[in-house]
Amino acid sequence: MKILIIEDELELSKDIIGYLNAQDYLCELAADYNQAIDKISAYTYDCILLDLMIPFGNGLEVLERLKAEKRSDGVIIISAKGALDDKIKGLQLGADDYLAKPFHLSELSARIYSVIRRKQFDNSNTITHDELTVDILSKTVTVGSNIVSLTKKEFDLLLLFLGNKNKVISKNALAEHLSGDIADMFDNHDFVYAHVKNLKKKLTEAGCDNYLKTIYGTGYKWEL
Amino acid sequence: MSKLLDKPFRSFTIYALVILVCSVPVYYFVVDAIWMEELDEHNWIIRKRMEKGIQTAKVDEKQLNQTLKIWNKLQPGTKLVAIDEKNITQNRIYTTRTYNPFEHEIDRFRVLSTAIWVNEKPYQLTISTNVEEADETLIAIAFVTVFFFFLLVIGFVFLNKRISKKSWKPFYKTLDQLKNFDLSKDQHIQFEQSDIEEFEELNQELTTLIKKNATTFNQQKRFIENASHELQTPLSVLKTKMDVLLQNNTLSEQEASTIEAINSSLSRISRINKNLLLLAKIENHQFAEEMPVNIKQTLAENIELLDDYFQSKGIHVQMNVEHYSVKCNPTLLEVLFNNLATNVIRHGNKNDILRINLTGNKLTFSNTGAASLSADNLFIRFGISSSETTNSGLGLAISKEICDRYNWTLSYQFNDHLHAFSIEF
């Protein structure tokens, strides 16, 4: 899977690349508008992470160009602007998702995972992971032949874990994934613990191996 | 406080009254003096006419005395009596009062007492003419004066109104414009041209002052927005770095708890920054799009989003909300409800009840509390400095800003151990 990161803040892109490389993604970097145009003219990508404020141009222009060429690369806008207008404009121009800075790497990884799935497996969008099968469209989870009934939040958490295999995800990141911007308003995210516990219990009861590990003091990890 | 124009009006009126009152005796003396002068002259004319008349008539003495007897009886104004030569006195002019039996009053008379010669014999001639009574003159003058005083006052009132309407019009217009002016609303103010120098000067000075203030205000707003924008990137880097650090398998328990602590401070900075940015955006009139929003539905969605947080604090939400719809930006309404609800989660007691009531156009969020919050700086940015790490100090300032934008009233009350935040749409 090839990913292009269009981002001028080097420290940030370095960490994103490091995190995604470990997820078996192949990452390339464009640090300004010209590099971005060069890259998208030469190659196609499974997913493009697009910062709107880049040197020598505007991220939205890159998006317009992709659209004009009828490209099918998935695009996720990562912007510090966070302005609603930009979000709407970006999505109208054909971006697949919008993530406001600052964000958790786990959230980014999960979004990339979902965008690529959506682009490539239009109709039968299922994830199979040993005995575990997740149908993203119908939101059903089966372990072998057992159907596991999960709440919406438990299902969302499962997708986040599957998009961040072998990564430690902090409680804060989990809370943000579940409640979005609102999670920012609180310091106490203990409710996450209850949801993870329920998810773990339901999966193991259905006969699934215990992949979900608690990392003391920091968060959780889907370990293979 | 009295109005500017009433002040000279009052002084003018009092001054006019004093002058008119003083003028009454002056008028009286002048009129009386003229009156006397005229009557004296009149008396002298009569004397001359009589003297000449008698002398030219050439009546003999006997006949004259007989005529005088009748004359003195019938003609009350004059009296001609023969006198001895040694009794001739100087001409005398004086005022006398005599009883008037017909009108039962004492009348004033101006008298000329003089001697005339008829047939070489002296006669004493006394001519008395009725003078207007002093008090009658005085009353007449006073009456006329009062009449003119009222005429003056009516004139003052009328002129005052006309002057105030015409000359002061630009001033009152300026005042009105200033009353409706709000620096934060990015309004342009154009004062009406005035042909009065002082007002024109005032308007020009005001325009300069407002322009200067508006510039400063806008710079400040832009500064906040730019500053928080600039902060977003380093914050993103920090947040990502923490995520990377977390992946380290060899983290000790102590290191993990340090990371946790850094993370929570980082969250707080992000939160403050996000809120500052939001506040700047609201002030800069972003979120301009408006549509009718169903309050009940928005509230329900909001509460559902916060469900996890309510549950983990054991707070039960009781909604008693009628259908009501307002025209506003849906995002801002969500932010408003969110701020009020998250406050309850952050500061409220455990296992409490949050009551949300909407009756008429008044929406109230109430929960129990021990003591009243200080209402003075509740809605001011960072007005409540709190050591609590969860507090951004901006939530209520943002709520207030949103309410102000739509002219809703946001108020706080503490009654029966209940904190109540109300919005009147």
Side-chain angles (χ1 to χ4, degrees), chain A residues 7 9 11-12 14-16 19 53 79-85 88 100-106 153 166-173 175-176 178-179 181-191 195 215-219 221 223, chain B residues 229 232-237 239-241 243-244 246-249 251 253 256-257 259-260 263-264 267-268 270-271 274-275 277 281 286-287 289 302 304-309 312 329 331 338-339 341-343 345-346 389-392:
Chain A
E7 163 69 61
E9 181 63 41
E11 281 298 328
L12 190 62
K14 213 169 80 186
D15 286 337
I16 294 174
Y19 194 90
M53 288 192 288
S79 170
K81 269 189 166 173
L84 203 68
D85 296 351
I88 292 168
K101 287 181 192 172
F103 50 76
H104 280 290
L105 287 173
S106 53
K153 277 170 185 162
N166 286 323
K167 292 285 180 190
V168 180
I169 305 175
S170 66
K171 237 196 271 182
N172 189 290
E176 257 176 52
L178 289 183
S179 3
D181 277 354
I182 292 175
D184 258 17
M185 299 292 161
F186 303 96
D187 280 343
N188 187 335
H189 303 301
D190 286 346
F191 71 89
H195 288 306
I215 312 296
Y216 184 80
T218 50
K221 189 193 224 176
E223 209 169 49
Chain B
H229 259 155
Q232 290 290 74
T233 308
L235 275 173
S236 311
V237 174
K239 202 167 181 176
T240 339
K241 293 273 173 215
D243 280 346
V244 172
L246 217 56
Q247 306 310 323
N248 193 336
N249 283 328
L251 280 183
E253 208 173 289
S257 74
I259 290 177
E260 188 68 27
N263 258 332
S264 88
S267 296
R268 191 177 178 209
S270 292
R271 184 158 57 232
K274 240 184 203 174
N275 279 339
L277 200 56
K281 277 181 189 160
Q286 294 179 28
F287 305 104
E289 183 205 358
N302 235 294
E304 203 192 311
L305 265 176
L306 288 168
D307 191 41
D308 278 325
Y309 296 94
S312 64
N329 182 287
T331 314
N338 230 330
N339 284 343
T342 48
N343 270 347
I345 297 170
R346 279 212 294 262
T389 51
T390 45
N391 202 343
S392 82

Side-chain angles (χ1 to χ4, degrees), chain B residues 43 72 92 111 126 178 219 340 344:
Chain B
N43 286 352
N72 286 339
R92 279 199 312 135
V111 183
T126 316
L178 286 180
Q219 273 170 353
L340 294 178
V344 174

Side-chain angles (χ1 to χ4, degrees), chain B residues 281-319:
Chain B
K281 277 181 189 160
I282 298 172
E283 280 180 344
N284 284 335
H285 296 271
Q286 294 179 28
F287 305 104
E289 183 205 358
E290 287 180 16
M291 58 173 82
V293 186
N294 186 332
I295 298 232
K296 192 175 184 173
Q297 198 188 333
T298 311
L299 266 174
E301 284 166 7
N302 235 294
I303 298 305
E304 203 192 311
L305 265 176
L306 288 168
D307 191 41
D308 278 325
Y309 296 94
F310 278 122
Q311 275 186 18
S312 64
K313 212 162 173 181
I315 294 174
H316 181 68
V317 181
Q318 250 178 31
M319 278 232 269

